[in-house]
Amino acid sequence: MLRIYNTLTRKKEEFSPIKDKLVTMYSCGPTVYNYAHIGNLRTYIFTDLVRRVLQYNGYKIKGVMNITDVGHLMEDSDDGEDKMIKASREQKKTPLEIAKYYTSVFFEDLKKLNIQKPEVIPKATEHISDMIKYVEALMEQGYAYETSDGIYFDISKFPEYGKLSGINLEEQQAGARVEVNLEKKSPYDFALWKKAEPGHIMQWESPWGMGYPGWHIECSVMSQKYLGTYFDIHSGGVDHIPIHHENEIAQNEALTKKPSVKYWMHGEFMLVDNGKMSKSLGNVYTISQLEEKGFEPLDFRFFCLNAHYRKKLNFTFDGLKAAKVSRERLIQSLYLHKTSNQKTAEEKLEKYRAEFMDAINDDINIPLALGILFSMVKETKSQDIYKLALEFDKVLGLDLDKLPPPKNQTDIPQDILDLVEKRTEAKKRKDFALADSIRDQINQKGYSVVDTRDGVVVNKLES
Ligand code: AMP
Ligand code: ZN
């Protein structure tokens, strides 16, 4: 039984989809004004793990992830310039060129990290008329009002506002920040549509003159268009809980008067050197930058897999190095399993299979699942274990089916591997005399054999 933590109810709940075996899932996608950084990518890895765990449980998935190519202002709370326009000015390119370029790099990053592509990837700029209709409906039903600079959602008309983050609006308003827009009825009212100032380079015709959509309306419109007014899972990073997702709920549920999402899931943040990532600190890394420093993208995926998605994860280069070494050990050890001709008892395999399933089904506990894989590879080398590891890899996404022979294991002849196996068996039986004599035979044939924490390593001796 799969259980997941629902941000809305603040507890782990049994997962049961709205409709049979098809899970409908929406994830907030990137604002394509810049490269995705490793923090963003942690969140996409988290969503990918949720997808893979669902698939492992036999569910089919209809996943939607939007591309925000207009409307996301510098502050999530509708202040500042549009991120796309700022990038367009700074890089002297049109917003379309900016969006196209960063969207394609984003997809390359996903591919490098073995993140599955969602089934539908809608762009905000291709859904403007749907957004206008949605805002009109909110206006007609009295949930929105017009000011000189746009159309705003009136949160006083939606008493449940704040239910996701548990924010107490009365307390908040007492100490509220100074509101720049004096026409707003409440500082928490948010823009559904903005009127374009003269010279604004992204604008569309609307009943309220030329303008562009607010960021939050994009997600409501695109999720409902492709998944309906009630769908299973909505995911994103924790920073989206208090503003973006609160606002999505208000927009969705004002019109339908019923819940819009069954399970809200949020991934915790990635920190760098225990602090926030910021351009001014020069610690906003991309996957390509990690590659330039000699890491493989899957080292980063493996690094992320070692922390539960609801825990903060502190990125350091030492931590990434440790992950790299640990992944190499796993690969070396699995290679020995792959090349073994021994068998493992079915009960033992079943035990690992069950433990792995329990771990992933306990709110996607991937670190625990990885621990189970690591215990499993310490068992006597056998192809059965290798095959089970490949099953687990459907969730982990570490390309364990594409094991390169570990550098020092290349071209080790089968007779040597057989002797290594016999020696391991002898050691297990505590027949150390036999183990030593087999080691001597291996040495005489020109190979060394060393026991490491993660298994046996064989090398060709230098002649
Ligand atoms: P954005 O493109 O800014 O909308 O962000 C894309 C995704 O990355 C969102 O789901 C954010 O919640 C998430 N995100 C942003 N910064 C971090 C971070 N430091 N750690 C983890 N996720 C993040
Ligand atoms: Zn969103």
Side-chain angles (χ1 to χ4, degrees), residues 351-409:
K351 176 183 97 68
Y352 284 116
R353 202 175 274 128
E355 283 177 3
F356 184 85
M357 191 76 169
D358 283 350
I360 60 170
N361 279 357
D362 180 13
D363 193 25
I364 329 285
N365 195 337
I366 303 297
L368 185 59
L370 262 188
I372 290 157
L373 173 63
F374 269 90
S375 308
M376 186 173 90
V377 298
K378 288 198 183 114
E379 294 281 352
T380 306
K381 302 291 171 276
S382 101
Q383 280 225 3
D384 297 328
I385 293 221
Y386 171 67
K387 284 184 193 143
L388 187 52
L390 293 194
E391 240 177 71
F392 294 174
D393 200 40
K394 290 186 181 142
V395 173
L396 305 172
L398 292 171
D399 275 355
L400 299 181
D401 58 334
K402 298 189 193 120
L403 288 186
K407 286 180 199 79
N408 54 8
Q409 304 288 302

Side-chain angles (χ1 to χ4, degrees), residues 13-242:
E13 291 177 16
E14 186 180 331
F15 180 75
S16 117
I18 298 164
K19 212 173 136 200
D20 306 326
K21 282 289 200 187
L22 178 75
V23 178
T24 42
M25 185 170 173
Y26 185 86
S27 320
C28 288
T31 306
V32 282
Y33 71 112
N34 206 337
Y35 298 105
H37 59 60
I38 53 174
N40 302 137
L41 292 166
R42 180 191 187 197
T43 293
Y44 298 114
I45 291 174
F46 145 64
T47 302
D48 181 61
L49 292 169
V50 176
R51 276 180 67 98
R52 287 167 176 269
V53 167
L54 289 165
Q55 287 163 348
Y56 201 80
N57 277 274
Y59 294 113
K60 289 236 168 315
I61 300 185
K62 179 168 182 191
V64 179
M65 181 185 65
N66 66 301
I67 298 286
T68 300
D69 52 1
V70 64
H72 194 170
L73 306 189
M74 292 311 290
E75 304 295 328
D76 288 357
S77 51
D78 310 323
D79 295 326
E81 197 178 4
D82 188 306
K83 290 184 177 185
M84 295 299 299
I85 292 180
K86 184 166 185 280
S88 152
R89 197 186 57 243
E90 286 170 358
Q91 298 176 35
K92 301 194 174 42
K93 295 203 171 94
T94 65
L96 191 69
E97 285 167 335
I98 296 278
K100 220 171 153 184
Y101 173 70
Y102 289 111
T103 304
S104 75
V105 179
F106 177 70
F107 286 125
E108 276 167 35
D109 287 349
L110 295 193
K111 200 161 161 218
K112 286 180 188 171
L113 290 166
N114 275 347
I115 296 173
Q116 296 179 352
K117 244 179 161 179
E119 285 64 25
V120 189
I121 305 173
K123 291 189 188 122
T125 48
E126 291 173 2
H127 293 77
I128 303 288
S129 61
D130 295 313
M131 293 174 202
I132 292 174
K133 278 190 210 123
Y134 207 105
V135 178
E136 280 185 304
L138 285 168
M139 285 285 264
E140 274 160 26
Q141 297 200 26
Y143 287 102
Y145 59 92
E146 185 167 357
T147 71
S148 56
D149 77 343
I151 308 295
Y152 285 84
F153 188 94
D154 183 349
I155 61 151
S156 70
K157 300 277 166 54
F158 185 72
E160 286 179 84
Y161 191 87
K163 67 180 174 180
L164 186 67
S165 55
I167 191 173
N168 180 327
L169 286 185
E170 273 160 29
E171 272 173 27
Q172 294 281 323
Q173 280 177 5
R177 62 203 159 103
V178 181
E179 181 50 64
V180 277
N181 186 344
L182 297 173
E183 289 176 76
K184 270 164 67 170
K185 294 186 192 166
S186 151
Y188 290 93
D189 290 352
F190 55 89
L192 298 164
W193 184 262
K194 283 270 202 166
K195 297 180 184 174
E197 15 343 308
H200 198 279
I201 49 176
M202 294 175 95
Q203 47 177 302
W204 290 264
E205 245 174 69
S206 81
W208 317 284
M210 296 302 284
Y212 55 95
W215 172 44
H216 320 294
I217 197 74
E218 299 181 358
C219 283
S220 283
V221 166
M222 289 186 270
S223 59
Q224 296 201 354
K225 174 158 185 165
Y226 296 101
L227 301 175
T229 52
Y230 185 45
F231 55 92
D232 291 305
I233 299 179
H234 193 314
S235 72
V238 285
D239 56 327
H240 286 346
I241 301 172

